Amino acid sequence: MIAIVLGTRPEIIKMSPVIRECERTGTDYFILHTGQHYSYEMDRAFFCDLALPEPKYNLDVGSGTHAEQTSRILTGIEHVLMKEQPDIVLVQGDTNTVLAGALAAVKLHIRVGHVEAGLRSFDRTMPEEINRVVADHISDNLFAPTETARQNLLHEGIADDKISVTGNTIVDAVFQNQDIAKKKANILDTLGLEPNGYFLVTAHRQENVDSPGNLKNIIRGICAIHEEYSQPVIFPMHPRTRKMVEQFNISLSGISVIEPTGFLDFLQMEANARLILTDSGGVQEEACILGVPCVTLRNTTERPETIAVGANMLVGTRCEQIQEGAKEQLKERNPWNNPYGDGRASVSIVRVCNSLPARIKTE
Ligand code: UD1
Ligand code: UDP
């Protein structure tokens, strides 16, 4: 039995192909939602869009400091795992949900599978980097999306026989949903947007939006792009960012700020954008998969594959660099290959899980 642990928007999206694959193969599983994300547009919207089954458990942990949130998740997951005694716990990515899920399981001697293992920004000031490193080192099965990720793990002394290079489940999610998005999503019409006639922005990283200087610079850079190209800039705003924009009293004049959208609408906006500017991990990947140029509002990335193929550029958070980066990324370029796999990562992951020996249950 597989326990699928998730708690935030990207985990719901990237675990959705694994859940579908469990359903397709008749694999015994259940979903444990930590409730790290809980607002409709960060949580339920994705269960609806992706037609996912209800989680068996929801810990409703909500927001808090890192220690508060992580400790609530840790305690809640431990209770569920002691009751359910799954053979393996699957966690995905680099959130506090992942750190706590992996830690609770390994202490109960339950096998941990880390989906999207081996990513490294090499910046330990990012909370996500700490979560990734710890989760990788206490996992039994490391599902690395690329060869680069596998090499990162090997360099840290992780045994090769624990690692499977599977591709990233985001490719599965994009392939499974892009035709549905074409038929069902109508956000371009709703917002009056022309294909290739607008810029799409997301930003929510703690080090960017919790810093008044960085957030002001990012917004200035985005406003400057709006003025320079006279095209709409659409910014579906993460609740964390909205809170900080209000707290720092930052003006957003010229930018079209909207609520975070569901996955189908977001896919439609990404696929038709002229350029994407983001600090999101998943959005960097999706831009690369969809063939849309991307400017990343950070100094480092754990997605170097996107840079290597020419899809993405790191520009940091300064206004002038954001403008320069946009200019550069808008130049004509040859199409690139998607480095994240063929859309069958979830098939490989569930196959590996099903080939493991059953666990001897503890009292
Ligand atoms: C978390 C992850 C981050 C991931 C992101 C995906 C950690 C350390 N961070 O960041 O890696 O990229 O999710 O979006 O795990 N809030 C709401 N409603 C919600 C959720 C959050 O209003 O449903 C607001 C609250 O004010 C909260 C703030 O957003 O304090 C931050 O939420 P939190 O889950 O702590 O971190 P994220 O920034 O969402
Ligand atoms: N996303 C979405 N609606 C939005 C913004 C993002 O559906 O308004 C999706 C996007 O397609 C991607 C995921 O959310 O799959 C990325 O999540 P986020 O940027 O919150 O987290 P990260 O990937 O940085 O951890």
Side-chain angles (χ1 to χ4, degrees):
M1 192 216 298
I2 305 178
I4 296 181
V5 173
L6 45 78
T8 66
R9 167 169 78 183
E11 292 163 83
I12 302 168
I13 294 168
K14 286 177 168 176
M15 279 298 204
S16 68
V18 177
I19 295 167
R20 284 190 184 184
E21 184 59 13
C22 287
E23 293 274 346
R24 192 186 69 82
T25 54
T27 301
D28 192 12
Y29 79 99
F30 67 93
I31 302 172
L32 190 170
H33 193 325
T34 63
Q36 178 172 345
H37 283 177
Y38 46 85
S39 302
Y40 177 86
E41 63 277 7
M42 300 299 288
D43 173 18
R44 291 299 320 158
F46 299 97
F47 281 84
C48 297
D49 259 11
L50 298 164
L52 293 175
E54 287 301 309
K56 184 166 182 185
Y57 299 93
N58 193 322
L59 305 178
D60 285 323
V61 299
S63 307
T65 65
H66 284 278
E68 285 166 352
Q69 193 175 55
T70 307
S71 58
R72 284 200 291 266
I73 303 173
L74 203 48
T75 313
I77 292 187
E78 188 182 54
H79 280 297
V80 174
L81 296 183
M82 283 162 74
K83 177 165 169 243
E84 293 281 353
Q85 299 279 335
D87 297 296
I88 183 165
V89 170
L90 284 186
V91 291
Q92 192 287 328
D94 52 23
T95 65
N96 288 343
T97 290
V98 171
L99 173 67
L103 202 48
V106 72
K107 291 287 185 85
L108 292 170
H109 305 151
I110 298 174
R111 185 175 274 277
V112 179
H114 188 198
V115 177
E116 203 178 72
L119 273 62
R120 295 289 181 271
S121 66
F122 302 103
D123 174 1
R124 294 236 173 156
T125 65
M126 291 180 72
E128 291 84 2
E129 185 77 352
I130 307 296
N131 294 344
R132 289 179 198 119
V133 171
V134 176
D136 283 340
H137 283 263
I138 57 179
S139 289
D140 302 280
N141 292 92
L142 295 107
F143 300 108
T146 64
E147 183 54 32
T148 307
R150 175 172 165 267
Q151 288 301 329
N152 288 338
L153 296 169
L154 293 176
H155 281 141
E156 291 177 15
I158 291 174
D160 203 8
D161 61 3
K162 290 182 175 179
I163 307 170
S164 319
V165 178
T166 57
N168 195 310
T169 59
I170 194 60
V171 183
D172 311 24
V174 169
F175 287 2
Q176 287 170 11
N177 290 290
Q178 64 185 359
D179 286 342
I180 306 174
K182 276 183 196 147
K183 287 190 204 115
K184 277 197 177 171
N186 53 14
I187 192 150
L188 259 53
D189 288 344
T190 309
L191 298 178
L193 299 172
E194 292 295 328
N196 212 26
Y198 61 93
F199 296 85
L200 179 65
V201 177
T202 80
H204 73 281
R205 292 255 89 80
Q206 178 181 299
E207 58 277 17
N208 277 350
V209 306
D210 288 11
S211 146
N214 284 348
L215 186 54
K216 279 179 191 156
N217 281 338
I218 289 173
I219 304 278
R220 269 183 53 219
I222 294 165
C223 290
I225 285 171
H226 170 61
E227 277 166 29
E228 187 173 344
Y229 297 94
S230 303
Q231 284 190 325
V233 173
I234 312 300
F235 192 161
M237 199 171 270
H238 191 289
R240 175 183 209 119
T241 313
R242 196 177 275 278
K243 191 170 73 179
M244 300 324 281
V245 163
E246 282 163 17
Q247 192 171 314
F248 302 143
N249 203 11
I250 299 176
S251 156
L252 296 158
S253 65
I255 304 175
S256 304
V257 174
I258 60 172
E259 287 297 314
T261 72
F263 189 54
L264 299 178
D265 278 341
F266 197 74
L267 267 182
Q268 188 184 54
M269 283 196 292
E270 284 182 306
N272 291 287
R274 185 170 173 199
L275 180 74
I276 296 174
L277 300 104
T278 191
D279 66 9
S280 156
V283 176
Q284 290 175 66
E285 292 160 351
E286 286 163 355
C288 182
I289 295 161
L290 293 165
V292 178
C294 183
V295 165
T296 293
L297 308 164
R298 293 172 45 189
N299 295 311
T300 59
T301 182
E302 57 294 311
R303 272 86 178 176
E305 299 87 350
T306 60
I307 312 265
V309 298
N312 190 12
M313 185 175 174
L314 288 177
V315 298
T317 53
R318 287 194 25 235
C319 175
E320 299 73 25
Q321 284 171 328
I322 295 172
Q323 281 180 282
E324 274 303 305
K327 198 167 159 191
E328 188 58 34
Q329 288 297 83
L330 284 169
K331 286 182 184 158
E332 274 300 312
R333 64 194 55 235
N334 292 327
W336 52 80
N337 289 325
N338 149 34
Y340 289 113
D342 60 2
R344 294 178 58 78
S346 51
V347 173
S348 307
I349 292 165
V350 174
R351 194 187 297 130
V352 170
C353 292
N354 277 326
S355 69
L356 298 169
R359 183 173 159 262
I360 299 160
K361 313 286 183 207
T362 51
E363 286 310 309

